[in-house]
Amino acid sequence: MKDKIKSLQKLREERDIGGGIDRINKRHTQGKMAARERIEYFFDPDTFVELQGYIKHRSSNFGLEKKKFFGDGVVTGFGKVNDKLVYIYSQDFTVLGGSLGEMHAKKILNVMDLALKVGAPMVGINDSGGARIQEGINSLAGYGDIFYRNTISSGVIPQISVIMGPCAGGAVYSPGITDFVFMVNNASYMFVTGPEVIKAVNKEEVTFEALGGAESHSTISGVAHFVGSDEKNTLDMVKELLGYIPSSNIEESPVTETNDPFDRMEDDLNEIVPVNPNKPYDMKKLITLVVDDYKYFEVHQNYAKNLIVGFARLGGKTVGIVANNPDIYAGTLDVSASLKGSRFIRFCDAFNIPLISFVDVPGFLPGKDQEELGIIKHGAKMLYAYSEATVPKLTVITRKSYGGAYIVMSSKHLGADIVYAWPTAEIAVMGPQGAINIIFKKDISGAKQPETLRERLIQEYKEKFANPKTPASFGYIDDIIMPTETRPLLIKALESLENKNIKNPPKKHGNIPL
Ligand code: HXC
């Protein structure tokens, strides 16, 4: 027996070093952790259980039979993050560059299937040269099987991709389907075709970083939702996110104990909206003053900054926050903001997370480029996402709410349960200047003193529309509230909606404008 125990120990040691100590040391000099070290850092101590660690590939193409390693370049299993069960795969770059072949894929599929069966989040740490070239079609098949599972699991369990090295070719499409993508600054990249191919085909020179680095994907493409400063910081952010979200779509939005008084009222809220309606203000500060412990976890912090989305807690319960940001493009909605907002709203709805919308939106961003980019179909995504969402939907209009953007931003018409307006709210088809210039164009151009007339009409318009009384008189707003009352009222409203239970008509699936 002793011998058997000893040989098992040896086997484990061999398994645990993946592609070998030298390669692991090389990773360390590059500031990277090994696949197992990442897992160890990620999970609560002594909770990780490895699965299928002795799998080896079975290919003999191009000398591959001489390059066999336990685990075949990926470590898989489950563990606990702050006591929550999470499934994981972590690609091991020390084994054939973490490339994905038949058996490597099989291990990933195994944990994906288990996560779906038990209803637990699936986290994938990607660090791979992509499809293992020597295994040919079997590598592609492996990816295909992963994409299929990503899709079937979508909306059932949260799926999170962490990019900690290269992620090239079709390999980026698994992260692309998952709910959240994390990247490490200056240490990870994602692209469908690399710089070499781009140079050959387009005669265009581009660096790895500019093409698919964390900065590019978190600011321009929006593919990455979060960027960590290093590997540990990135994994810490994943853990924080997991604390906000349920494990599956059959769980309610998580509730955590809080010492923050439910009836806390912040006087600063009464001062936050400037008297001048064209002046921006700090919507993020507004959010923090309202939510538990002044804390919210922003998603897509650097992408489409004209819309703010993120998770927070109200009365201990996780909520999804969607807010216009008057500081950027005056808070208008453009294509990127619409994409960002709709995806977030749909995640929250899929996972029973109530939506709180703070509205200060002068409209959609006008422009030829926006029309060419398809603002009609992308803006429609926001309408669609809010309309189909059956979770509790609460809205607070803090200032402007004009035109189509008024409807889009969780209005009563799209099924918002309770809509509050601050006394500073202005709800109208459009802003005073634009409106008067259109409806009194002839009168103004024919007037002896056009500017005086324009000013008078603008004033009249403001009195009629630049306040929340008219929409409140039609019932489009449930109450006009003091800004300081926002937190207690939102918490009470959330409580009242605890048992909200509505279902959209049965269908195979809707056809969101893509
Ligand atoms: C097999 C691979 C590999 C791959 C890397 N390796 N990528 N083996 N298939 N796709 C091996 C290398 O041969 C090497 O083995 C080891 O991994 C480390 O690679 P290096 O090149 O030495 O490392 P580095 O200089 O850090 O460069 C990493 C890299 C580069 C940028 C990822 O290896 C690379 O460009 N790989 C190919 C990336 C790519 O084009 N992938 C797309 C494949 S097609 P040894 O034994 O020497 O240590 C694809 C389509 C999927 O993914 C479609 C799905 C639908």
Side-chain angles (χ1 to χ4, degrees):
M1 186 65 183
K2 257 189 186 162
D3 289 351
K4 294 208 164 166
I5 299 273
K6 232 178 168 179
S7 91
L8 176 59
Q9 265 164 352
K10 212 166 148 256
L11 206 63
R12 281 187 175 173
E13 279 162 24
E14 201 183 326
R15 176 196 68 181
D16 288 351
I17 55 168
I21 295 293
D22 291 348
R23 284 195 169 94
I24 291 178
N25 288 340
K26 191 175 162 202
R27 309 281 294 159
H28 290 162
T29 58
Q30 295 166 337
K32 287 172 184 276
M33 288 189 274
R36 276 192 177 74
E37 289 165 345
R38 288 168 175 163
I39 287 180
E40 211 168 290
Y41 183 80
F42 183 64
F43 283 121
D44 300 346
D46 301 322
T47 61
F48 176 63
V49 176
E50 183 165 348
L51 302 172
Q52 300 186 326
Y54 299 104
I55 270 188
K56 288 184 177 178
H57 72 72
R58 45 186 188 175
S59 170
S60 51
N61 296 329
F62 301 103
L64 218 49
E65 71 279 5
K66 292 187 214 94
K67 294 182 179 177
K68 287 197 179 212
F69 299 89
F70 283 131
D72 200 30
V74 63
V75 185
T76 58
F78 59 88
K80 297 264 179 91
V81 173
N82 296 321
D83 229 16
K84 181 185 263 189
L85 176 70
V86 175
Y87 282 79
I88 198 160
Y89 71 83
S90 175
Q91 291 180 312
D92 183 353
F93 196 84
T94 66
V95 176
L96 298 161
S99 58
L100 182 140
E102 177 203 12
M103 301 308 277
H104 178 122
K106 196 172 170 173
K107 289 182 70 176
I108 295 178
L109 299 174
N110 180 55
V111 274
M112 288 180 86
D113 287 342
L114 285 168
L116 186 62
K117 273 191 250 182
V118 305
M122 181 70 228
V123 172
I125 301 181
N126 294 263
D127 191 354
S128 163
R132 187 173 297 156
I133 297 160
Q134 299 91 322
E135 292 198 45
I137 189 68
N138 281 331
S139 308
L140 298 185
Y143 271 123
D145 292 342
I146 292 171
F147 303 158
Y148 178 78
R149 277 167 182 76
N150 282 136
T151 307
I152 298 304
S153 301
S154 178
V156 184
I157 50 169
Q159 300 181 84
I160 296 171
S161 300
V162 190
I163 316 297
M164 291 207 150
C167 193
V172 291
Y173 283 116
S174 171
I177 304 172
T178 59
D179 299 300
F180 297 104
V181 175
F182 289 72
M183 292 185 80
V184 186
N185 207 18
N186 293 318
S188 60
Y189 51 83
M190 304 172 77
F191 43 70
V192 175
T193 44
E196 291 302 322
V197 180
I198 291 183
K199 193 173 166 189
V201 178
N202 300 358
K203 313 267 175 280
E204 196 184 334
E205 298 239 7
V206 60
T207 62
F208 279 75
E209 199 53 42
L211 183 67
E215 163 125 12
S216 158
H217 281 311
S218 61
T219 58
I220 303 167
S221 75
V223 167
H225 300 80
F226 301 93
V227 178
S229 52
D230 58 23
E231 294 193 1
K232 287 187 173 170
N233 173 248
T234 308
L235 292 171
D236 288 342
M237 288 163 73
V238 180
K239 292 191 218 187
E240 195 172 350
L241 171 66
L242 285 166
Y244 281 100
I245 60 180
S247 294
S248 77
N249 66 342
I250 55 169
E251 275 188 14
E252 287 303 312
S253 188
V255 179
T256 326
E257 273 201 22
T258 174
N259 293 322
D260 197 348
F262 287 26
D263 54 359
R264 174 169 58 80
M265 300 219 215
E266 294 286 344
D267 288 342
D268 281 5
L269 286 171
N270 279 345
E271 308 296 326
I272 208 160
V273 175
V275 179
N276 178 350
N278 298 324
K279 255 186 128 177
Y281 58 94
D282 191 347
M283 183 58 96
K284 294 189 187 181
K285 184 176 169 202
L286 188 157
I287 297 166
T288 52
L289 288 172
V290 171
V291 300
D292 289 358
D293 306 311
Y294 307 94
K295 209 171 125 198
Y296 84 105
F297 186 65
E298 194 169 348
V299 177
H300 261 152
Q301 195 171 5
N302 297 316
Y303 171 68
K305 292 184 187 178
N306 39 336
L307 191 78
I308 299 163
V309 301
F311 298 103
R313 295 188 180 93
L314 267 175
K317 194 183 185 104
T318 295
V319 291
I321 306 276
V322 181
N324 308 111
N325 184 2
D327 219 9
I328 309 283
Y329 301 149
T332 48
L333 291 170
D334 62 353
V335 168
S336 304
S338 303
L339 290 167
K340 167 176 167 174
S342 345
R343 182 109 168 112
F344 181 75
I345 292 163
R346 295 192 102 211
F347 176 85
C348 289
D349 187 48
F351 291 100
N352 311 315
I353 298 173
L355 286 161
I356 314 285
S357 305
F358 292 99
V359 181
D360 187 349
V361 62
F364 280 94
L365 182 69
K368 181 166 171 278
D369 63 332
Q370 285 294 307
E371 296 294 347
E372 283 176 353
L373 287 167
I375 186 65
I376 296 173
K377 65 181 176 188
H378 297 304
K381 287 188 173 83
M382 284 283 276
L383 286 163
Y384 195 106
Y386 266 127
S387 298
E388 73 171 350
T390 55
V391 286
K393 293 185 280 195
L394 303 176
T395 308
V396 181
I397 303 174
T398 60
R399 193 168 61 177
K400 293 170 196 161
S401 189
Y402 292 158
Y406 151 70
I407 304 170
V408 168
M409 285 302 299
S410 198
S411 62
K412 271 257 189 243
H413 323 288
L414 305 189
D417 298 294
I418 298 179
V419 178
Y420 290 123
W422 285 9
T424 39
E426 306 171 15
I427 301 153
V429 175
M430 61 172 71
Q433 315 272 354
I436 294 307
N437 286 344
I438 292 172
I439 54 183
F440 293 109
K441 190 172 161 186
K442 284 190 190 133
D443 304 71
I444 292 171
S445 62
K448 279 190 188 148
Q449 291 177 306
E451 278 321 303
T452 318
L453 178 63
R454 194 198 314 271
E455 271 318 302
R456 184 171 63 75
L457 291 169
I458 285 175
Q459 218 38 51
E460 268 176 36
Y461 185 93
K462 277 186 182 166
E463 272 156 37
K464 198 163 179 60
F465 289 136
N467 64 68
K469 283 182 287 185
T470 311
S473 75
F474 294 123
Y476 299 143
I477 281 165
D478 290 286
D479 199 3
I480 305 169
I481 63 168
M482 301 288 176
T484 49
E485 297 168 339
T486 306
R487 173 178 165 81
L489 281 173
L490 284 178
I491 293 176
K492 280 184 195 162
L494 261 186
E495 276 174 8
S496 74
L497 293 162
E498 190 69 34
N499 296 326
K500 180 180 177 187
N501 184 11
I502 57 162
K503 286 190 174 60
N504 293 325
K507 52 184 149 181
K508 193 169 174 193
H509 56 71
N511 190 12
I512 190 166
L514 297 172

